[in-house]
Amino acid sequence: MAGREYEWILRFGDDALVLAQRLSEWCSHGPAIEEDIALSNIALDLLGQARALLTLAGRREGQGRDEDALAYFRTDREYSNALLVELPNGHFGDTIVKQMLFDQFAVLRYEALANQCVDEELAAIASKALKEVRYHAAHSTQWVVRLGDGTKESHLRVQESLNTLWPYTAELFEDDAVSKACADAEVMPLNASFKEPWSTQLQNILNEAKLLNPESTEFHTGGRTGRHTEHLKSMLAEMQVLPRTYPLAEW
Amino acid sequence: MTQQMDLNQRFEEYIALDQKIEAKDWMPDAYRKTLIRQISQHAHSEIIGMQPEGNWITRAPSLKRKSILLAKVQDEAGHGLYLYSAAETLGISRDEMLDALHTGKAKYSSIFNYPTLTWADMGSIGWLVDGAAIMNQVPLCKCSYGPYARAMVRVCKEESFHQRQGFQIMLNLSQGTSEQKDMAQDALNRWWWPSLMMFGPSDASSKHSKQSMRWKIKRFSNDELRQRFVDMTVPQAELIGLTIPDSDLKWNEETGHYEFGPIDWSEFEQVVAGNGPCNRERIETRVAAHENGAWVRDAAAAYAEKVADRESRQTSAA
């Protein structure tokens, strides 16, 4: 049972860590200084969530691994984040659409964890994170509306971003033995239960942004069991370079 | 003409009494221009300065270090914003200032044209570069132009935190493995002299200094501040077992100061002239961010206009 607990907490932590790493790549490349600050701020929040979650996962695992052991000394095959968050940043519209798709999901997931989870430590992390991801969702959603209903060029660009990212959304709502065990333990309902509120919210946003719901039926999955896109390995190679080059060093 | 002289005289008297000049007060054109040049250069330095450190955020060696570095670079973006706002009170727009930066008309601190090659460079930038910046900036909290002085109060508080975290990185490295110690010494070797150059040319050859001192924009001379920095930093290096790369460095009991070797001003001039190791990359990165973001800024402006338009139609319908 403890093994499963470690696994579901790790999934939440990996989602936050990988997205934080991607967002931090934006630093000094944003479209305006205000956005550089906003994206770094969001990355910092996500990194804070990841640190709390990985620390808790390590404790529940009981093998003496701390946040850094889990972040720096697992391979891509051991990472369990959803594929959506590991995708390269692309242009600002790609990043913001990806962020909105994930943020709206994260709000629902943290609401459930904060309100229903019997694991008090996890619930406490979720309550703090919930306040943050609500702000992230407001930020990304406002930008999706601005870009969707901005100029002709911005509209075309973000519609394209949405079409490209859409096939990575279904994975968020999949269930397997780990998420079922998590639901049985009264930690969080099944991922599938978030699908309907997420879709309703998304439809409202797309209507306001004058964007069309993609019709693609092509879907990608595998992240939760360590079968990732080609992008994660290079991202981790960069992220992990120092601790792996100098394994005896402390920083 | 007489009126002009009166205004000028009153301005000089005001300054002499240590009063603050505010945005709407009369000020001589040359004072306004000097401030625009200095504050915008300072803002540009914060913005360009995000790059050498931003370079290591994705490779920070622990999650704690990553969040500290990310927060630090974010502070720098924030400093850039306050400083652009302070300069805007003098009648120039952020767009005009950014344009001057992108076309190479405006300068920024030359220190950011050096590359960050190892993690120890994050330590050295915090310890030495931010340390030197604080020496320069603390007196600016009392500068005669109110909006600049007030912006600097906040900037200095954050800079002193940056300086401490930089020193902490160096301390950890110097107590680490032999590879980490070498990394720390190598970074000190590369950043020491450029840090001393941050105080600008020696007093004898500094072209803006004299007037700025008279106007109380500047409170201490370049050489005074440089000496203060050396006196503060040398014992810190000793404390963590690192060697300052200057064979002429020695303590002078009589003066109570460290004496240090001659600065290679030809290197400084080369870097200021645009020939430093990273001048081209820094500006190219900045221009690319600006150009790649143009469609986003256009979209935000178009959307804001649509919203305003809809609101005004609703108001007139009601």
Side-chain angles (χ1 to χ4, degrees), chain A:
Chain A
M1 201 57 196
R4 283 286 143 89
E5 215 177 306
Y6 158 77
E7 283 177 78
W8 67 64
I9 300 171
L10 196 62
R11 288 181 182 188
F12 309 147
D14 284 349
D15 281 347
L17 176 60
V18 171
L19 195 55
Q21 177 76 5
R22 279 296 183 216
L23 277 181
S24 71
E25 292 170 12
W26 268 100
C27 199
S28 72
H29 304 285
I33 305 169
E34 286 83 350
E35 270 322 290
D36 255 318
I37 295 176
L39 294 178
S40 314
N41 220 341
I42 295 167
L44 264 174
D45 286 344
L46 291 167
L47 191 54
Q49 294 167 16
R51 293 180 61 194
L53 289 163
L54 292 185
T55 301
L56 183 63
R59 282 219 305 275
R60 294 296 158 80
E61 185 197 31
Q63 305 287 321
R65 292 203 279 183
D66 62 7
E67 58 179 49
D68 289 329
L70 289 170
Y72 290 94
F73 291 96
R74 278 182 302 147
T75 69
D76 56 318
R77 300 302 305 271
E78 294 165 289
Y79 263 74
S80 61
N81 58 283
L83 301 179
L84 179 68
V85 295
E86 75 198 39
L87 297 174
N89 287 334
H91 58 61
F92 182 75
D94 294 331
T95 293
I96 223 70
V97 170
K98 174 169 64 169
Q99 198 66 35
M100 182 275 288
L101 294 169
F102 180 79
D103 291 340
Q104 293 295 344
F105 168 74
V107 168
L108 295 168
R109 190 166 66 181
Y110 281 128
E111 268 173 1
L113 283 171
N115 299 328
Q116 301 165 29
C117 177
V118 293
D119 180 335
E120 282 178 14
E121 280 180 282
L122 183 54
I125 295 172
S127 306
K128 180 170 184 283
L130 179 59
K131 291 183 199 130
E132 295 166 347
V133 295
R134 280 189 176 138
Y135 157 77
H136 304 169
H139 172 263
S140 59
T141 300
Q142 282 162 11
W143 266 113
V144 168
V145 172
R146 266 183 218 124
L147 297 176
D149 190 18
T151 61
K152 204 171 181 182
E153 181 188 5
S154 70
H155 175 82
L156 289 173
R157 277 180 184 254
V158 288
Q159 181 67 57
E160 183 62 31
S161 308
L162 184 64
N163 297 347
T164 313
L165 292 163
W166 188 252
Y168 295 91
T169 55
E171 187 189 24
L172 299 172
F173 307 102
E174 285 175 356
D175 285 295
D176 62 0
V178 174
S179 71
K180 282 177 186 145
C182 175
D184 288 343
E186 292 179 54
V187 166
M188 192 181 80
L190 291 172
N191 287 320
S193 70
F194 301 129
K195 182 67 192 278
E196 201 192 303
W198 181 84
S199 302
T200 309
Q201 178 69 348
L202 191 74
Q203 197 53 59
N204 294 337
I205 297 166
L206 297 187
N207 290 344
E208 202 188 336
K210 302 191 163 64
L211 294 169
L212 296 174
N213 210 328
E215 282 168 10
S216 166
T217 51
E218 162 205 348
F219 287 108
H220 303 298
T221 183
R224 300 297 184 203
T225 53
R227 290 205 328 272
H228 290 276
T229 65
E230 291 175 348
H231 307 291
L232 185 64
K233 203 177 193 70
S234 1
M235 192 201 91
L236 292 180
E238 180 177 351
M239 187 179 102
Q240 297 175 334
V241 63
L242 282 172
R244 287 190 180 240
T245 311
Y246 307 101
L248 299 177
E250 282 178 38
W251 307 92

Side-chain angles (χ1 to χ4, degrees), chain B residues 92-147:
Chain B
I92 184 168
S93 70
R94 200 204 300 182
D95 282 344
E96 287 172 279
M97 289 184 269
L98 282 177
D99 191 57
L101 172 66
H102 297 160
T103 54
K105 266 190 281 177
K107 299 273 187 250
Y108 55 89
S109 178
S110 277
I111 195 84
F112 301 119
N113 290 318
Y114 290 88
T116 49
L117 302 179
T118 72
W119 175 251
D121 292 28
M122 299 303 99
S124 295
I125 289 185
W127 175 37
L128 302 173
V129 175
D130 294 330
I134 294 169
M135 288 282 161
N136 273 328
Q137 291 170 4
V138 166
L140 291 173
C141 299
K142 290 189 178 169
C143 116
S144 60
Y145 187 57

Side-chain angles (χ1 to χ4, degrees), chain A residues 248-251, chain B residues 169-182:
Chain A
L248 299 177
E250 282 178 38
W251 307 92
Chain B
I169 291 178
M170 296 305 274
L171 178 67
N172 277 23
L173 292 173
S174 67
Q175 293 171 342
T177 65
S178 66
E179 285 153 322
Q180 284 176 302
K181 285 178 197 161
D182 290 348

Side-chain angles (χ1 to χ4, degrees), chain B residues 10 21 48 64 87 107 182 223 235 270 304:
Chain B
R10 262 174 48 200
I21 306 298
I48 295 291
K64 182 178 167 198
K107 299 273 187 250
D182 290 348
D223 288 331
Q270 277 293 313

